[in-house]
Amino acid sequence: MDFLSGLNPPQQEAVRHVEGPLLILAGAGSGKTRVVTHRISNLICNHRVQPESILAVTFTNKAAGEMRARIGSLLGSLMPPGRGPRLATFHSFCVQLLRRDGSALAEWRPNLTRQFLIYDDDDQLAVIKGLYKQHSIDDKVLPARQALSAISAAKSGRDGASGLAKYDHTPLGKYVAALYEQYNEALIAANALDFDDLLLETARLLRSHEPTRRAWNDRLQFLMVDEYQDTNRTQYELVRMLSGNRNNVCVVGDEDQSIYSWRGADIRNILDFERDFPNAKVIRLEQNYRSTKNILEAASSVIANNTERKGKWLWTDSGSGPKITVYQAMDAENEALVIADQIEKGLRKNPGWRVAVLYRTNSQSRQIEEALRRYRRAYNIVGGLSFYQRAEIKDVMAYLKVIFVPSDPVSLLRIINTPARGIGKTTTDHIEQHAREHKITLWKAMGEMLEYRMLPGRAEVALRAFRHLIEELQAKAGDVPLQVLVSEILERTGYLRMLKEDRDPSAETRIENLNELLNAAAEAHARGDNAANFLDHAALVSDADGVDENSQVSLLTVHNAKGLEFPLVFLAGMEEGLFPHNRSKDSAAMMEEERRLCYVGMTRAEKELHISHAQTRRRWGGGPEEAAMRSRFIAEIPKELCDFQGLPPADAISGEMDQLGAEGEVDLFSERGYVRETVKWTQQRAKTPYPGKTYNSVENIAQFFKDRGLPPPGVPRSSAPAPAKAPPMPPAPRPPQAPVPIRPPVAQPPQPFSKPPVKRKSGGEGSTVNHPKYGRGTVVRKEGDGEDAKLTVMFPGHGLKKLIAKYAGIKIDE
DNA sequence: GGTTCGTTACTTTTT
DNA sequence: GTAACGAACC
């Protein structure tokens, strides 16, 4: 079978390459995913390579899934059913390997069993804070977060623990080294691995345990690594050891897109590849298939200011396309409104386009979200606080961990008094002290103290009841499906009751999140996952996994946009101090990374790129408006490629002024008042008065619309399982009068959402169902069939609910 | 022991 | 604008 057609010569060369090391320097948009998938297919189909003996490492789980799907469709029936290449991120591959062979590590890491827990960021922080408490270290002297990042840098960096030496001469020095030791000891004692450990311990296992290494070298014949420029030292070692003597290793990367040096990524891995793997073949992919000429030239001009690069100049066959608009807003609010306005205009012209708003910091999303909500435009936000990071979800997951691994101190302390059950600080302090003194786990200490009646009466009763509760759940755990266990946790621990009795409006959203968790557990069970897989999954999902292609508008950081493309891209907040970020101003190397980040952002755009910045911006809510200068990166774009718009820039070159308003149809010269007029009109049309209160947290979005008896505008947070697309809206009457534009031309307000096509079918989309709690609702979307079908149902007064037919106990009306 | 309220610091980027 | 913490109350 031919996997070469439609590819350019260097792409073909890469696909044809079989044995030996290969470095593919793939510029932005040069079709590298295509090359990788075609190459894997070629190996399987034409070179009789067993699919399982290929390991391809991607940057996100989502990228792995997409690659799997593409290879599947390339090979079709040629792929033996139920088989396929191994596709994973470094972290998830390491978890698989350690869950399988990790016991051998106990020789070097006492206590380690294959049932280890994965400690995420929160867990790590809890460990540090526990140590602080133990040693009475003041968090103000050395913020726990800072200690953690120092420890992580020491673990994953090139210098190892000696990297801590730089703290020696600081007031914190005496703590850091000790903390590093004790932190690691705590994890070892808890049979837990943090993200760094997953890589480090896998490397140690392969390095030190020959049978394991040999087995994996036999198992894996071909290795591929995507985004190689963002691998760290440990990942490099893993690549070396996994490739064995064969050196059938193919790495794909672009030094201009290296944006993770701050978490240990080492650009030398790609720069030195030819030295590390002698006889490596190098292939450059320099034809860009993604962007217009203008966008590509602008991005290339920016990145050309970096010195630390191999140097290349991408080219494209495509037309020049429109100029890049550079909009100067009065303030951040205006910037957000103008972006929302431009999204409406853009989507009216090109209804099928997917749109991304990219920014440097997550906190910038708030104002953009608010602007989009004013326009009633559904959006998908990636990152920020993800589903599995929410307190209520973490609480329930902590119960699961305690049930299966009662020795885990972090989880135990998290839930021992959540909901409040009379086990207070004094009691837990006692238990912790007892555990430390006798060098036993908290769980054991708890047992001993109960056995020997070492606690005051009230505390003892409470603690005994808690222990009993956990033991009962443990007894059940093995026998029931995961979702039943989760539901038992919610009921028996009183967690659900606690939320139901909570008058705080956010409690309701949290209950909804827990329902989502139940759904997720049911799905996991249906897939054949057990509790351990479920916990692994929760720890390893990444923000970028939450990108939803079905969503028309996505909000995300530039970091999360890596590897993605959108016809219409907004790059917001291009100001000195923000992008490039203030913290990167100290060193030239960090500034170059900011520039690479800017390059990544710009090259996401296929058709149109809109850059914006504000003259003033508040650093935080209550603070003052602070003057902001536009980013140096804007100045690095050739002026003839730009269309300068918005307020006359204070720092503008006079020639730019001529451009203002000259472009005719699309005019971005919207003062705040003008955009407000547009918004007002929009709201009249949609009959959704905007009360002036800011609904700035995700929880509040649902509330906002619920209060008004309206369906929510769309997907709230990406990481939560996504509800269906925008639900039907009541038809809006025409406004009495269009606003008098302060300046020409008028922005057309967005159209109200049209009703999705209704299929009349029993239990299908459009049919009515009856739910025991929510009453009658309309099925908006249906996935799957029979009793396993997943229904997204609109319940008037309760909003959108995603249900699994079998568990929800709903009746379908005919 | 639990809850409420006021103060504080906070914003890079994330597997 | 808000999350996290601690003091002061119940």
Side-chain angles (χ1 to χ4, degrees):
Chain A
M1 200 171 166
D2 173 26
F3 296 104
L4 301 175
S5 59
L7 300 182
N8 66 31
Q11 288 177 329
Q12 291 188 2
E13 198 186 351
V15 170
R16 245 182 299 172
H17 179 94
V18 179
E19 301 268 333
L22 172 64
L23 168 62
I24 302 175
L25 294 169
S30 62
K32 68 175 179 176
T33 311
R34 210 150 172 235
V35 167
V36 171
T37 50
H38 282 239
R39 178 165 183 263
I40 292 175
S41 304
N42 187 49
L43 289 173
I44 294 172
C45 183
N46 296 331
H47 296 272
R48 313 211 153 199
V49 176
Q50 297 300 308
E52 299 75 22
S53 65
I54 301 171
L55 169 64
V57 182
T58 56
F59 204 68
T60 62
N61 297 298
K62 191 163 194 304
E66 274 160 18
M67 220 172 251
R68 184 173 296 121
R70 284 173 78 159
I71 293 168
S73 71
L74 274 173
L75 286 175
S77 59
L78 293 169
M79 178 89 82
R83 298 179 54 189
R86 298 168 196 263
L87 285 151
T89 64
F90 269 110
H91 289 87
S92 61
F93 173 75
C94 288
V95 169
Q96 284 170 38
L97 194 150
L98 292 172
R99 291 260 181 247
R100 177 191 172 123
D101 302 322
S103 339
L105 265 173
E107 204 176 315
W108 295 275
R109 187 181 172 110
N111 255 348
L112 187 87
T113 68
R114 298 189 313 178
Q115 284 73 46
F116 62 85
L117 288 170
I118 302 169
Y119 271 13
D120 68 11
D121 204 54
D122 275 357
D123 301 327
Q124 292 176 287
L125 218 50
V127 171
I128 301 275
K129 287 190 175 159
L131 292 171
Y132 274 26
K133 195 169 121 192
Q134 211 184 111
H135 300 294
S136 312
I137 300 173
D138 187 352
D139 189 76
K140 289 186 183 71
V141 179
L142 174 59
R145 200 147 268 299
Q146 204 179 318
L148 188 59
S149 65
I151 289 171
S152 175
K155 283 173 92 160
S156 65
R158 226 161 226 251
D159 311 325
S162 62
L164 292 173
K166 67 175 172 187
Y167 285 90
D168 280 357
H169 304 293
T170 71
L172 327 165
K174 60 178 176 174
Y175 298 126
V176 177
L179 273 176
Y180 177 81
E181 294 297 329
Q182 294 185 18
Y183 168 83
N184 281 328
E185 281 165 23
L187 262 67
I188 289 171
N191 189 22
L193 301 177
D194 64 20
F195 288 129
D196 296 323
D197 288 332
L198 292 176
L199 306 175
L200 285 168
E201 296 298 352
T202 306
R204 169 146 64 177
L205 177 62
L206 293 172
R207 192 188 316 117
S208 317
H209 196 251
E210 227 191 300
T212 305
R213 186 177 69 238
R214 242 188 278 136
W216 279 99
N217 283 339
D218 286 344
R219 229 169 260 146
L220 301 178
Q221 314 260 332
F222 289 88
L223 186 57
M224 291 195 161
V225 183
D226 197 7
E227 308 284 5
Y228 191 65
Q229 75 282 355
D230 281 325
T231 52
N232 67 20
R233 190 66 199 164
T234 319
Q235 289 164 333
Y236 167 81
E237 270 180 64
L238 286 170
V239 170
R240 288 228 71 142
M241 287 188 290
L242 289 171
S243 66
N245 298 323
R246 285 194 198 86
N247 281 335
N248 285 338
V249 49
C250 163
V251 301
V252 189
D254 176 3
E255 82 271 15
D256 289 335
Q257 295 186 63
S258 161
I259 55 176
Y260 281 102
S261 73
W262 51 272
R263 66 170 204 214
D266 196 331
I267 201 165
R268 279 174 289 185
N269 288 349
I270 196 165
L271 296 177
D272 296 345
F273 185 83
E274 294 163 76
R275 194 200 62 204
D276 297 331
F277 293 89
N279 309 318
K281 183 175 207 167
V282 182
I283 295 175
R284 288 163 180 273
L285 305 180
E286 296 188 312
Q287 181 174 3
N288 174 294
Y289 295 95
R290 179 184 295 154
S291 309
T292 65
K293 209 166 261 164
N294 279 349
I295 292 168
L296 194 60
E297 252 186 75
S300 300
S301 307
V302 171
I303 199 66
N305 290 285
N306 271 5
T307 56
E308 292 284 313
R309 59 193 295 254
K310 290 195 165 187
K312 63 175 171 305
W313 198 271
L314 298 183
W315 60 278
T316 176
D317 271 346
S318 61
S320 34
K323 286 184 175 180
I324 292 147
T325 64
V326 176
Y327 178 78
Q328 167 148 291
M330 185 173 131
D331 55 23
E333 187 196 3
N334 177 241
E335 181 192 34
L337 285 169
V338 168
I339 288 172
D341 209 52
Q342 283 306 103
I343 290 175
E344 296 308 325
K345 285 177 185 162
L347 287 181
R348 233 188 337 271
K349 259 199 281 180
N350 308 284
W353 278 9
R354 287 165 53 254
V355 186
V357 184
L358 309 181
Y359 36 79
R360 177 71 233 274
T361 64
N362 278 308
S363 56
Q364 286 168 260
S365 75
R366 213 194 75 244
Q367 281 178 307
I368 297 165
E369 284 182 70
E370 205 180 302
L372 288 170
R373 282 205 296 281
R374 290 196 195 184
Y375 276 73
R376 295 194 53 69
R377 168 59 64 181
Y379 59 88
N380 173 239
I381 173 157
V382 181
L385 185 63
S386 81
F387 183 67
Y388 286 104
Q389 284 172 320
R390 284 153 194 256
E392 62 276 16
I393 303 299
K394 292 217 71 170
D395 286 341
V396 176
M397 299 303 261
Y399 271 105
L400 268 182
K401 288 187 205 176
V402 169
I403 289 166
F404 286 96
V405 190
S407 61
D408 181 35
V410 171
S411 301
L412 185 63
L413 286 175
R414 186 181 178 102
I415 50 119
I416 196 165
N417 201 33
T418 314
R421 50 171 72 90
I423 307 171
K425 192 170 169 303
T426 326
T427 312
T428 52
D429 281 353
H430 271 143
I431 302 171
E432 282 185 82
Q433 201 188 343
H434 184 86
R436 246 195 322 277
E437 277 168 12
H438 297 83
K439 297 201 187 322
I440 54 176
T441 65
L442 282 182
W443 180 253
K444 236 184 172 150
M446 211 170 99
E448 284 186 8
M449 294 181 84
L450 283 174
E451 195 180 334
Y452 302 113
R453 320 285 311 252
M454 294 165 72
L455 292 159
R458 266 221 311 213
E460 181 176 318
V461 173
L463 200 60
R464 202 178 287 283
F466 170 70
R467 195 178 171 88
H468 200 70
L469 171 69
I470 298 296
E471 281 168 349
E472 275 183 355
L473 288 168
Q474 282 171 336
K476 253 205 157 145
D479 308 331
V480 296
L482 192 54
Q483 67 276 19
V484 176
L485 181 60
V486 173
S487 142
E488 288 276 316
I489 291 172
L490 291 175
E491 296 293 338
R492 301 277 285 274
T493 62
Y495 201 95
L496 209 53
R497 192 171 357 110
M498 170 184 78
L499 287 179
K500 279 178 180 160
E501 285 164 9
D502 195 337
R503 293 182 315 283
D504 194 310
S506 73
E508 208 169 317
T509 328
R510 299 215 240 133
I511 293 174
E512 282 166 23
N513 286 334
L514 291 172
N515 281 331
E516 287 296 347
L517 185 68
L518 275 174
N519 278 333
E523 281 168 35
H525 180 71
R527 272 200 308 270
D529 281 1
N530 57 22
N533 302 139
F534 190 57
L535 289 168
D536 282 353
H537 172 77
L540 294 175
V541 281
S542 69
D543 284 344
D545 293 331
V547 179
D548 177 6
E549 290 84 19
N550 299 321
S551 169
Q552 195 152 30
V553 181
S554 298
L555 272 50
L556 61 169
T557 61
V558 184
H559 279 93
N560 271 327
K562 184 161 123 152
L564 305 177
E565 55 189 15
F566 302 86
L568 179 53
V569 168
F570 293 82
L571 205 44
M574 290 289 285
E575 292 141 36
E576 286 292 302
L578 188 58
F579 199 177
H581 199 274
N582 254 334
R583 303 230 180 162
S584 300
K585 283 194 168 157
D586 301 339
S587 83
M590 286 163 90
M591 186 54 75
E592 296 214 341
E593 180 145 316
E594 293 285 316
R595 191 174 281 110
R596 290 192 292 270
L597 193 58
C598 177
Y599 175 75
V600 168
M602 294 175 78
T603 52
R604 299 309 97 195
E606 295 171 15
K607 304 291 184 201
E608 286 182 26
L609 175 61
H610 300 271
I611 293 174
S612 57
H613 61 109
Q615 275 185 340
T616 66
R617 183 180 295 273
R618 288 182 213 276
R619 221 165 340 166
W620 26 73
E625 290 275 5
E626 293 173 43
M629 284 211 322
R630 70 168 163 197
S631 169
R632 69 190 68 189
F633 300 146
I634 292 178
E636 291 170 4
I637 304 171
K639 259 189 276 317
E640 60 274 18
L641 299 178
C642 297
D643 180 4
F644 291 93
Q645 300 180 334
L647 294 178
D651 55 333
I653 301 123
S654 59
E656 293 171 7
M657 301 287 291
D658 305 337
Q659 299 273 345
L660 294 177
E663 282 296 308
E665 222 236 302
V666 177
D667 179 58
L668 283 169
F669 194 89
S670 327
E671 280 183 34
R672 185 153 54 170
Y674 164 55
V675 174
R676 280 203 174 126
E677 281 301 313
T678 315
V679 167
K680 221 162 95 191
W681 189 33
T682 308
Q683 283 163 0
Q684 280 170 3
R685 276 183 74 116
K687 275 209 150 172
T688 48
Y690 180 72
K693 178 175 182 221
T694 48
Y695 282 77
N696 34 21
S697 84
V698 184
E699 278 70 21
N700 288 340
I701 303 173
Q703 196 60 40
F704 175 99
F705 290 98
K706 214 177 130 178
D707 289 347
R708 291 158 189 78
L710 289 166
V715 186
R717 282 264 165 183
S718 62
S719 320
K725 48 179 143 325
M729 279 265 304
R734 279 207 60 83
Q737 204 187 344
V740 182
I742 297 167
R743 285 172 198 279
V746 187
Q748 290 300 309
Q751 304 300 314
F753 296 115
S754 55
K755 244 184 160 132
V758 173
K759 280 182 246 156
R760 280 281 160 210
K761 202 178 118 198
S762 167
E765 287 162 15
S767 61
T768 310
V769 296
N770 222 324
H771 187 275
K773 192 169 136 213
Y774 302 124
R776 287 178 147 234
T778 312
V779 177
V780 178
R781 186 164 141 199
K782 185 182 182 193
E783 296 160 81
D785 275 304
E787 58 171 8
D788 280 318
K790 258 186 352 199
L791 304 176
T792 308
V793 186
M794 177 64 214
F795 292 104
H798 296 277
L800 274 184
K801 306 279 170 198
K802 203 166 191 181
L803 311 159
I804 293 192
K806 159 163 74 165
Y807 302 114
I810 49 174
K811 283 202 202 83
I812 296 160
D813 292 6
E814 289 309 323

